[in-house]
Amino acid sequence: MIIFRDVSKIYHIGDTEVRALDHANMHIRKGEFVSIIGPSGSGKSTLMNIVGCLDQASEGTYLLDGQAIEDYSNRELAKIRNRKIGFIFQDFNLLPKLTAYENVELPLIYQRMGKKGRQERVEEALNRVGLWDRRKHRPTELSGGQQQRVAIARALATHPSLFLADEPTGNLDQKTGRELMDIFHELHESGNTIVLITHDAHIAAEASRSIKILDGHVTDVNDASEITEVV
Amino acid sequence: MIGQSFKMAWASVISNKMRSFLTMLGIIIGVIALVVLVSIANGATSSVTDAISSIGTNLLSVTITDDKENPLRLSEMDEVLDLDHIAMAAPTAQTSLTASKGENSESAQITGTTADYLSIEGLNLASGRWIRSSDVENNTNVVVINGDLAADVLGVRNTEQAIGQTISLNGNHYTVIGVLADDETISMSFSSYEAYVPYTSLIRIASSVSSGITSFVCASASDDEIDAAESTLKAWLLKRFDNDDDAFEITNMSTIADTLDSVVNTMTIMLGGIAAISLLVGGIGIMNIMLVSVTERTKEIGIRKAIGAGEGSIMLQFLIEALVLSLLGCLLGVAGSWLILRLIYLISDFNFPMDPGVVVVATAFSLIIGLLFGLYPARKAARKEPIDALHYAG
């Protein structure tokens, strides 16, 4: 599903070379629920950007669904993001002027799906997160938890290969965060691949497997005590 | 996709009404300037050219400035008539006299002329008849007056009643034989009181008019022959006045019409050009606001890109937004122009119809401006890197 082979991301700040990712190797299989954990500045965001095809690796190979993501044009990357990846961000990133329905519909519009097909998908996705009756509300009229559920519905609607969640509970209180994690577990149980990036040890421990990242180095976490060590 | 982009663009224009209106204002004013100015210029042109063509474009008028001690005689008019291409000729002498009847008295412009004058100048009679050759030969005291004179001096509204009445010109009694129809086009003369008497008759009552003809008008048989008629007339006049081409002046009505036409056309183009510049400025206003809008919406662009919008979709969205602004501005401008032209009609009674041609030009221009000035901001939006845009803290 996701294979990283010696992936590096190098930034040049003035004359100094910064390796945000240093020969990272990782393998995530289809249907897995994996958490990626690391303190801030560890290269988490870089990793997430590369996995999410928002950015490209400087070195190494990244295979997504057996397809090497390198030297792609911006147009092709946009297409991969649109069809294969469902993003869930810490600050929800819903479009404030669109209703819940329209927000969920947007990626389908970019897929050029017909109106009828879109309607079915949006209804299915919003029902899944239990917000169909709120479809006409704008993000500002929804609570944080509801907004994040709309964001999940938006990711769900395209039937992506991978759900990529970046600190999804970071802006939510504990109770709402809990509800959200339940949705992730449900998604996992119904066969979806989920990659969850977090610095919260409790959240990370809920995944079936954890990968830690520290100073650009990626390693597998074998037992739960290691998670707390990282953060 | 275009339908969706249009929906998005419309939503964005609507969500910020005040700003959208101010952005469009440049285009609105530009379009109003273009449409109103060109419509007025075209309206004015057609009323002036109507006035000229009612006189006729087969008209030549001659003024003799130096008679070489041998003034042109009335009998020589027949020689002019015999020239090739010339169908009609009539001498003219003008003076201002007091026309009176009883208590009523007005200063009127009196023209002394002959029978051909009516057709050469394209005048129409409301009632009665025009001066005949016999009137000229016998110095008859007959007069053809215009409607204003009939109404204000004779005090008759019905032109028929004026026929046969006597009117006094500087104390000389004249019998009214005809009344001219009111001219629908803008009058070329300053006085609204006009009267026409036989040329020979005017010589007797006006000291400023002598038997020597100082000006006359002639008409070619058709409009096409006007230039040929001018050259034969010139040759004849040169022979008559010792080959001195400063002794006389020939005015060709069709040349005047052409000149006037080109002057008015130049003016229309100039006015249109100035208005087009204001449209251009309006376009720059659109670009300015679009650039601000692109920066403001960096985050939105980032989100759209993250969920899979390609560069093409983002570009289309912003381009269509610029087009919606410019075309909506154009639409409001055309509506405003229509209102202003109606208002001018209601206030001043000048009816300047909205020129459909200039509306098409204004629309095409707005479209091009929207495209041109929307392209750069749209490209800027489309080229934003998704990560940078997503993390933009605007």
Side-chain angles (χ1 to χ4, degrees), chain B residues 183-238:
Chain B
D183 204 343
E184 285 155 19
T185 55
I186 298 163
S187 174
M188 302 283 274
S189 84
F190 295 102
S191 162
S192 66
Y193 300 113
E194 291 167 25
Y196 300 84
V197 298
Y199 190 82
T200 47
S201 176
L202 190 63
I203 297 170
R204 284 189 305 156
I205 61 164
S207 53
S208 61
V209 179
S210 73
S211 60
I213 293 165
T214 54
S215 71
F216 64 92
V217 288
C218 22
S220 63
S222 71
D223 289 357
D224 305 335
E225 287 172 67
I226 180 83
D227 293 328
E230 185 181 357
S231 44
T232 54
L233 185 64
K234 188 171 181 184
W236 183 81
L237 284 164
L238 276 171

Short mmCIF file of all heavy atoms in Angstrom, two decimals, chain B residues 183-238:
data_model
loop_
_atom_site.label_atom_id
_atom_site.label_comp_id
_atom_site.label_asym_id
_atom_site.label_seq_id
_atom_site.Cartn_x
_atom_site.Cartn_y
_atom_site.Cartn_z
N ASP B 183 -39.59 73.34 -41.46
CA ASP B 183 -38.47 72.43 -41.64
C ASP B 183 -38.35 71.54 -40.40
O ASP B 183 -38.31 72.03 -39.28
CB ASP B 183 -37.19 73.25 -41.82
CG ASP B 183 -36.15 72.47 -42.57
OD1 ASP B 183 -36.29 71.24 -42.64
OD2 ASP B 183 -35.21 73.10 -43.08
N GLU B 184 -38.32 70.23 -40.65
CA GLU B 184 -38.23 69.32 -39.48
C GLU B 184 -36.83 69.26 -38.91
O GLU B 184 -36.63 69.05 -37.73
CB GLU B 184 -38.67 67.91 -39.89
CG GLU B 184 -40.16 67.79 -40.06
CD GLU B 184 -40.53 66.67 -41.00
OE1 GLU B 184 -39.68 65.79 -41.23
OE2 GLU B 184 -41.66 66.70 -41.51
N THR B 185 -35.84 69.40 -39.79
CA THR B 185 -34.46 69.32 -39.30
C THR B 185 -34.05 70.64 -38.68
O THR B 185 -34.74 71.65 -38.80
CB THR B 185 -33.51 68.95 -40.45
OG1 THR B 185 -33.70 69.90 -41.48
CG2 THR B 185 -33.79 67.57 -40.95
N ILE B 186 -32.91 70.57 -37.99
CA ILE B 186 -32.42 71.77 -37.32
C ILE B 186 -32.19 72.87 -38.36
O ILE B 186 -31.53 72.67 -39.37
CB ILE B 186 -31.10 71.45 -36.59
CG1 ILE B 186 -31.33 70.39 -35.53
CG2 ILE B 186 -30.50 72.71 -35.98
CD1 ILE B 186 -30.07 69.73 -35.06
N SER B 187 -32.75 74.05 -38.13
CA SER B 187 -32.64 75.14 -39.09
C SER B 187 -31.19 75.62 -39.16
O SER B 187 -30.51 75.75 -38.17
CB SER B 187 -33.55 76.29 -38.67
OG SER B 187 -33.32 77.37 -39.54
N MET B 188 -30.72 75.86 -40.39
CA MET B 188 -29.35 76.30 -40.57
C MET B 188 -29.23 77.82 -40.43
O MET B 188 -28.15 78.36 -40.35
CB MET B 188 -28.82 75.88 -41.95
CG MET B 188 -28.87 74.39 -42.19
SD MET B 188 -27.56 73.51 -41.33
CE MET B 188 -26.27 73.65 -42.56
N SER B 189 -30.34 78.52 -40.48
CA SER B 189 -30.24 79.98 -40.42
C SER B 189 -30.58 80.44 -39.00
O SER B 189 -31.21 79.74 -38.24
CB SER B 189 -31.19 80.61 -41.42
OG SER B 189 -32.48 80.70 -40.87
N PHE B 190 -30.12 81.65 -38.69
CA PHE B 190 -30.26 82.12 -37.31
C PHE B 190 -31.64 82.72 -37.05
O PHE B 190 -32.20 82.56 -36.00
CB PHE B 190 -29.17 83.15 -37.00
CG PHE B 190 -27.81 82.53 -37.04
CD1 PHE B 190 -26.98 82.71 -38.14
CD2 PHE B 190 -27.37 81.73 -35.98
CE1 PHE B 190 -25.74 82.11 -38.18
CE2 PHE B 190 -26.12 81.14 -36.03
CZ PHE B 190 -25.30 81.33 -37.13
N SER B 191 -32.15 83.42 -38.08
CA SER B 191 -33.44 84.06 -37.88
C SER B 191 -34.55 83.04 -38.10
O SER B 191 -34.44 82.17 -38.96
CB SER B 191 -33.59 85.21 -38.88
OG SER B 191 -34.96 85.53 -38.98
N SER B 192 -35.56 83.12 -37.29
CA SER B 192 -36.65 82.18 -37.52
C SER B 192 -37.70 82.79 -38.46
O SER B 192 -38.64 82.15 -38.82
CB SER B 192 -37.27 81.77 -36.19
OG SER B 192 -37.90 82.88 -35.62
N TYR B 193 -37.51 84.07 -38.83
CA TYR B 193 -38.45 84.69 -39.79
C TYR B 193 -37.77 84.79 -41.14
O TYR B 193 -36.73 85.42 -41.28
CB TYR B 193 -38.85 86.09 -39.29
CG TYR B 193 -39.55 86.04 -37.94
CD1 TYR B 193 -38.96 86.58 -36.81
CD2 TYR B 193 -40.79 85.41 -37.83
CE1 TYR B 193 -39.58 86.51 -35.58
CE2 TYR B 193 -41.42 85.34 -36.60
CZ TYR B 193 -40.81 85.88 -35.48
OH TYR B 193 -41.42 85.80 -34.28
N GLU B 194 -38.36 84.11 -42.11
CA GLU B 194 -37.76 84.10 -43.44
C GLU B 194 -38.82 84.43 -44.49
O GLU B 194 -39.97 84.04 -44.35
CB GLU B 194 -37.19 82.71 -43.74
CG GLU B 194 -35.97 82.36 -42.90
CD GLU B 194 -35.62 80.89 -43.00
OE1 GLU B 194 -35.97 80.26 -44.02
OE2 GLU B 194 -35.01 80.39 -42.03
N ALA B 195 -38.35 85.15 -45.51
CA ALA B 195 -39.25 85.45 -46.62
C ALA B 195 -38.46 85.45 -47.92
O ALA B 195 -37.25 85.72 -47.92
CB ALA B 195 -39.92 86.81 -46.41
N TYR B 196 -39.14 85.10 -49.02
CA TYR B 196 -38.47 85.03 -50.32
C TYR B 196 -39.24 85.89 -51.31
O TYR B 196 -40.47 85.82 -51.38
CB TYR B 196 -38.43 83.58 -50.81
CG TYR B 196 -37.67 82.68 -49.84
CD1 TYR B 196 -38.31 82.13 -48.73
CD2 TYR B 196 -36.32 82.44 -50.02
CE1 TYR B 196 -37.62 81.34 -47.84
CE2 TYR B 196 -35.61 81.66 -49.13
CZ TYR B 196 -36.27 81.10 -48.03
OH TYR B 196 -35.58 80.34 -47.15
N VAL B 197 -38.51 86.77 -52.03
CA VAL B 197 -39.17 87.65 -53.01
C VAL B 197 -38.43 87.50 -54.34
O VAL B 197 -37.29 87.01 -54.35
CB VAL B 197 -39.14 89.14 -52.56
CG1 VAL B 197 -39.92 89.30 -51.25
CG2 VAL B 197 -37.72 89.64 -52.39
N PRO B 198 -39.02 87.92 -55.45
CA PRO B 198 -38.29 87.87 -56.73
C PRO B 198 -37.03 88.72 -56.63
O PRO B 198 -37.04 89.78 -55.99
CB PRO B 198 -39.28 88.47 -57.73
CG PRO B 198 -40.61 88.25 -57.11
CD PRO B 198 -40.40 88.36 -55.63
N TYR B 199 -35.94 88.24 -57.24
CA TYR B 199 -34.65 88.91 -57.14
C TYR B 199 -34.75 90.37 -57.55
O TYR B 199 -34.28 91.27 -56.86
CB TYR B 199 -33.63 88.19 -58.03
CG TYR B 199 -32.23 88.66 -57.81
CD1 TYR B 199 -31.47 88.16 -56.76
CD2 TYR B 199 -31.66 89.63 -58.63
CE1 TYR B 199 -30.19 88.60 -56.54
CE2 TYR B 199 -30.38 90.09 -58.42
CZ TYR B 199 -29.63 89.57 -57.36
OH TYR B 199 -28.38 90.03 -57.13
N THR B 200 -35.43 90.61 -58.68
CA THR B 200 -35.56 91.97 -59.22
C THR B 200 -36.32 92.88 -58.27
O THR B 200 -36.06 94.07 -58.19
CB THR B 200 -36.29 91.92 -60.56
OG1 THR B 200 -37.44 91.08 -60.39
CG2 THR B 200 -35.41 91.32 -61.65
N SER B 201 -37.23 92.29 -57.54
CA SER B 201 -38.05 93.06 -56.61
C SER B 201 -37.23 93.52 -55.42
O SER B 201 -37.39 94.63 -54.92
CB SER B 201 -39.23 92.19 -56.18
OG SER B 201 -39.99 92.85 -55.23
N LEU B 202 -36.30 92.63 -54.98
CA LEU B 202 -35.49 92.97 -53.81
C LEU B 202 -34.52 94.11 -54.12
O LEU B 202 -34.22 94.94 -53.25
CB LEU B 202 -34.73 91.73 -53.33
CG LEU B 202 -34.04 91.85 -51.97
CD1 LEU B 202 -35.04 92.08 -50.86
CD2 LEU B 202 -33.17 90.64 -51.67
N ILE B 203 -34.06 94.17 -55.39
CA ILE B 203 -33.13 95.23 -55.78
C ILE B 203 -33.74 96.61 -55.48
O ILE B 203 -33.08 97.51 -55.00
CB ILE B 203 -32.79 95.14 -57.28
CG1 ILE B 203 -32.07 93.80 -57.57
CG2 ILE B 203 -31.92 96.32 -57.73
CD1 ILE B 203 -31.92 93.52 -59.05
N ARG B 204 -35.05 96.71 -55.74
CA ARG B 204 -35.71 98.01 -55.60
C ARG B 204 -35.87 98.45 -54.16
O ARG B 204 -35.79 99.62 -53.85
CB ARG B 204 -37.09 97.98 -56.27
CG ARG B 204 -36.99 98.05 -57.79
CD ARG B 204 -38.35 98.23 -58.36
NE ARG B 204 -39.22 97.17 -57.88
CZ ARG B 204 -40.54 97.25 -57.81
NH1 ARG B 204 -41.16 98.36 -58.14
NH2 ARG B 204 -41.25 96.24 -57.39
N ILE B 205 -36.11 97.49 -53.25
CA ILE B 205 -36.43 97.90 -51.87
C ILE B 205 -35.23 97.83 -50.93
O ILE B 205 -35.26 98.42 -49.85
CB ILE B 205 -37.60 97.08 -51.27
CG1 ILE B 205 -37.26 95.59 -51.21
CG2 ILE B 205 -38.89 97.33 -52.04
CD1 ILE B 205 -38.20 94.83 -50.29
N ALA B 206 -34.16 97.11 -51.31
CA ALA B 206 -33.02 97.02 -50.40
C ALA B 206 -31.82 97.69 -51.03
O ALA B 206 -31.39 97.33 -52.12
CB ALA B 206 -32.71 95.56 -50.10
N SER B 207 -31.27 98.69 -50.34
CA SER B 207 -30.16 99.45 -50.90
C SER B 207 -28.90 98.59 -51.02
O SER B 207 -28.06 98.83 -51.88
CB SER B 207 -29.88 100.67 -50.02
OG SER B 207 -29.71 100.24 -48.69
N SER B 208 -28.79 97.57 -50.17
CA SER B 208 -27.58 96.76 -50.18
C SER B 208 -27.55 95.76 -51.34
O SER B 208 -26.53 95.14 -51.60
CB SER B 208 -27.46 96.01 -48.85
OG SER B 208 -28.57 95.16 -48.71
N VAL B 209 -28.69 95.58 -52.02
CA VAL B 209 -28.74 94.61 -53.11
C VAL B 209 -28.76 95.36 -54.43
O VAL B 209 -29.58 96.24 -54.64
CB VAL B 209 -30.00 93.71 -52.99
CG1 VAL B 209 -30.07 92.72 -54.13
CG2 VAL B 209 -30.01 93.01 -51.64
N SER B 210 -27.81 95.03 -55.32
CA SER B 210 -27.77 95.70 -56.62
C SER B 210 -28.10 94.69 -57.72
O SER B 210 -28.26 93.50 -57.45
CB SER B 210 -26.38 96.29 -56.85
OG SER B 210 -25.49 95.24 -57.12
N SER B 211 -28.16 95.18 -58.94
CA SER B 211 -28.48 94.28 -60.05
C SER B 211 -27.32 93.33 -60.34
O SER B 211 -27.48 92.32 -61.01
CB SER B 211 -28.85 95.08 -61.29
OG SER B 211 -27.75 95.90 -61.63
N GLY B 212 -26.11 93.67 -59.85
CA GLY B 212 -24.97 92.76 -60.02
C GLY B 212 -25.08 91.60 -59.05
O GLY B 212 -25.19 91.80 -57.84
N ILE B 213 -25.05 90.37 -59.58
CA ILE B 213 -25.23 89.18 -58.73
C ILE B 213 -23.91 88.88 -58.01
O ILE B 213 -22.86 88.79 -58.64
CB ILE B 213 -25.67 87.98 -59.58
CG1 ILE B 213 -27.08 88.23 -60.12
CG2 ILE B 213 -25.62 86.68 -58.79
CD1 ILE B 213 -27.47 87.30 -61.24
N THR B 214 -23.97 88.77 -56.69
CA THR B 214 -22.76 88.43 -55.95
C THR B 214 -22.76 87.00 -55.46
O THR B 214 -21.73 86.49 -55.04
CB THR B 214 -22.57 89.38 -54.73
OG1 THR B 214 -23.77 89.33 -53.97
CG2 THR B 214 -22.28 90.79 -55.17
N SER B 215 -23.92 86.36 -55.47
CA SER B 215 -23.91 84.95 -55.12
C SER B 215 -25.05 84.23 -55.80
O SER B 215 -26.10 84.83 -56.05
CB SER B 215 -23.98 84.76 -53.60
OG SER B 215 -25.24 85.10 -53.13
N PHE B 216 -24.83 82.99 -56.14
CA PHE B 216 -25.90 82.18 -56.71
C PHE B 216 -25.70 80.72 -56.36
O PHE B 216 -24.63 80.31 -55.92
CB PHE B 216 -26.02 82.41 -58.22
CG PHE B 216 -24.82 81.99 -59.04
CD1 PHE B 216 -24.74 80.72 -59.59
CD2 PHE B 216 -23.78 82.88 -59.27
CE1 PHE B 216 -23.65 80.34 -60.36
CE2 PHE B 216 -22.69 82.50 -60.03
CZ PHE B 216 -22.61 81.24 -60.58
N VAL B 217 -26.76 79.97 -56.49
CA VAL B 217 -26.67 78.54 -56.21
C VAL B 217 -27.06 77.79 -57.48
O VAL B 217 -27.87 78.27 -58.27
CB VAL B 217 -27.61 78.11 -55.05
CG1 VAL B 217 -27.07 78.61 -53.72
CG2 VAL B 217 -29.04 78.59 -55.28
N CYS B 218 -26.45 76.63 -57.70
CA CYS B 218 -26.92 75.78 -58.78
C CYS B 218 -26.90 74.32 -58.35
O CYS B 218 -26.29 73.97 -57.36
CB CYS B 218 -26.14 75.96 -60.08
SG CYS B 218 -24.52 76.63 -59.95
N ALA B 219 -27.60 73.52 -59.12
CA ALA B 219 -27.68 72.10 -58.80
C ALA B 219 -27.32 71.30 -60.03
O ALA B 219 -27.68 71.65 -61.14
CB ALA B 219 -29.09 71.74 -58.35
N SER B 220 -26.58 70.23 -59.82
CA SER B 220 -26.28 69.32 -60.93
C SER B 220 -27.50 68.44 -61.15
O SER B 220 -28.36 68.33 -60.27
CB SER B 220 -25.06 68.48 -60.61
OG SER B 220 -25.33 67.67 -59.48
N ALA B 221 -27.54 67.82 -62.33
CA ALA B 221 -28.71 66.99 -62.65
C ALA B 221 -28.86 65.85 -61.66
O ALA B 221 -29.96 65.47 -61.28
CB ALA B 221 -28.58 66.47 -64.07
N SER B 222 -27.71 65.27 -61.22
CA SER B 222 -27.78 64.21 -60.22
C SER B 222 -26.61 64.37 -59.25
O SER B 222 -25.67 65.13 -59.51
CB SER B 222 -27.71 62.84 -60.91
OG SER B 222 -26.40 62.66 -61.40
N ASP B 223 -26.66 63.62 -58.15
CA ASP B 223 -25.61 63.71 -57.14
C ASP B 223 -24.26 63.30 -57.70
O ASP B 223 -23.22 63.82 -57.30
CB ASP B 223 -25.95 62.80 -55.94
CG ASP B 223 -27.11 63.34 -55.13
OD1 ASP B 223 -27.60 64.44 -55.49
OD2 ASP B 223 -27.52 62.68 -54.16
N ASP B 224 -24.28 62.35 -58.65
CA ASP B 224 -23.01 61.84 -59.20
C ASP B 224 -22.28 62.87 -60.04
O ASP B 224 -21.07 62.81 -60.19
CB ASP B 224 -23.27 60.60 -60.09
CG ASP B 224 -24.03 59.53 -59.34
OD1 ASP B 224 -23.92 59.53 -58.10
OD2 ASP B 224 -24.72 58.72 -59.99
N GLU B 225 -23.07 63.80 -60.59
CA GLU B 225 -22.45 64.75 -61.53
C GLU B 225 -21.92 65.99 -60.83
O GLU B 225 -21.41 66.89 -61.49
CB GLU B 225 -23.47 65.18 -62.59
CG GLU B 225 -23.79 64.09 -63.59
CD GLU B 225 -24.95 64.50 -64.49
OE1 GLU B 225 -24.77 65.43 -65.28
OE2 GLU B 225 -26.03 63.91 -64.36
N ILE B 226 -22.02 66.01 -59.51
CA ILE B 226 -21.69 67.23 -58.78
C ILE B 226 -20.27 67.71 -59.05
O ILE B 226 -20.02 68.89 -59.24
CB ILE B 226 -21.99 67.05 -57.26
CG1 ILE B 226 -21.66 68.32 -56.47
CG2 ILE B 226 -21.22 65.88 -56.68
CD1 ILE B 226 -22.74 69.32 -56.50
N ASP B 227 -19.31 66.74 -59.10
CA ASP B 227 -17.92 67.14 -59.29
C ASP B 227 -17.66 67.64 -60.72
O ASP B 227 -16.93 68.61 -60.91
CB ASP B 227 -16.97 65.99 -58.94
CG ASP B 227 -17.02 65.68 -57.45
OD1 ASP B 227 -17.23 66.65 -56.67
OD2 ASP B 227 -16.86 64.51 -57.06
N ALA B 228 -18.32 66.99 -61.69
CA ALA B 228 -18.20 67.43 -63.08
C ALA B 228 -18.81 68.82 -63.24
O ALA B 228 -18.24 69.71 -63.90
CB ALA B 228 -18.90 66.44 -64.00
N ALA B 229 -19.96 69.02 -62.58
CA ALA B 229 -20.63 70.31 -62.64
C ALA B 229 -19.74 71.39 -62.04
O ALA B 229 -19.62 72.50 -62.57
CB ALA B 229 -21.95 70.24 -61.88
N GLU B 230 -19.07 71.04 -60.94
CA GLU B 230 -18.19 72.01 -60.29
C GLU B 230 -17.07 72.44 -61.23
O GLU B 230 -16.76 73.63 -61.33
CB GLU B 230 -17.61 71.42 -58.99
CG GLU B 230 -16.79 72.44 -58.22
CD GLU B 230 -16.17 71.90 -56.94
OE1 GLU B 230 -16.42 70.72 -56.60
OE2 GLU B 230 -15.44 72.65 -56.29
N SER B 231 -16.49 71.47 -61.95
CA SER B 231 -15.37 71.85 -62.81
C SER B 231 -15.81 72.66 -64.03
O SER B 231 -15.12 73.61 -64.41
CB SER B 231 -14.51 70.65 -63.21
OG SER B 231 -15.32 69.59 -63.57
N THR B 232 -16.98 72.32 -64.62
CA THR B 232 -17.42 73.16 -65.76
C THR B 232 -17.78 74.56 -65.29
O THR B 232 -17.46 75.55 -65.94
CB THR B 232 -18.64 72.55 -66.49
OG1 THR B 232 -19.66 72.31 -65.53
CG2 THR B 232 -18.29 71.28 -67.24
N LEU B 233 -18.37 74.64 -64.10
CA LEU B 233 -18.74 75.94 -63.56
C LEU B 233 -17.49 76.77 -63.26
O LEU B 233 -17.42 77.97 -63.56
CB LEU B 233 -19.56 75.76 -62.27
CG LEU B 233 -20.12 77.03 -61.64
CD1 LEU B 233 -21.11 77.69 -62.58
CD2 LEU B 233 -20.78 76.74 -60.30
N LYS B 234 -16.47 76.10 -62.75
CA LYS B 234 -15.23 76.79 -62.42
C LYS B 234 -14.58 77.34 -63.70
O LYS B 234 -14.13 78.50 -63.73
CB LYS B 234 -14.28 75.83 -61.70
CG LYS B 234 -13.06 76.54 -61.15
CD LYS B 234 -12.24 75.64 -60.26
CE LYS B 234 -11.06 76.44 -59.73
NZ LYS B 234 -10.15 75.64 -58.93
N ALA B 235 -14.60 76.50 -64.74
CA ALA B 235 -14.00 76.92 -66.01
C ALA B 235 -14.73 78.16 -66.55
O ALA B 235 -14.11 79.12 -67.01
CB ALA B 235 -14.08 75.77 -67.01
N TRP B 236 -16.05 78.10 -66.45
CA TRP B 236 -16.85 79.23 -66.96
C TRP B 236 -16.57 80.50 -66.17
O TRP B 236 -16.38 81.58 -66.73
CB TRP B 236 -18.33 78.85 -66.88
CG TRP B 236 -19.24 79.92 -67.44
CD1 TRP B 236 -19.53 80.13 -68.76
CD2 TRP B 236 -19.94 80.92 -66.69
NE1 TRP B 236 -20.37 81.19 -68.89
CE2 TRP B 236 -20.64 81.70 -67.63
CE3 TRP B 236 -20.03 81.24 -65.34
CZ2 TRP B 236 -21.43 82.79 -67.25
CZ3 TRP B 236 -20.82 82.32 -64.95
CH2 TRP B 236 -21.51 83.07 -65.91
N LEU B 237 -16.48 80.37 -64.86
CA LEU B 237 -16.25 81.53 -64.00
C LEU B 237 -14.85 82.10 -64.21
O LEU B 237 -14.66 83.32 -64.20
CB LEU B 237 -16.44 81.16 -62.52
CG LEU B 237 -17.89 81.00 -62.06
CD1 LEU B 237 -17.96 80.25 -60.73
CD2 LEU B 237 -18.59 82.36 -61.95
N LEU B 238 -13.88 81.23 -64.42
CA LEU B 238 -12.52 81.69 -64.67
C LEU B 238 -12.48 82.54 -65.95
O LEU B 238 -11.85 83.59 -66.00
CB LEU B 238 -11.57 80.51 -64.83
CG LEU B 238 -11.01 79.90 -63.53
CD1 LEU B 238 -10.27 78.61 -63.81
CD2 LEU B 238 -10.11 80.90 -62.79
#
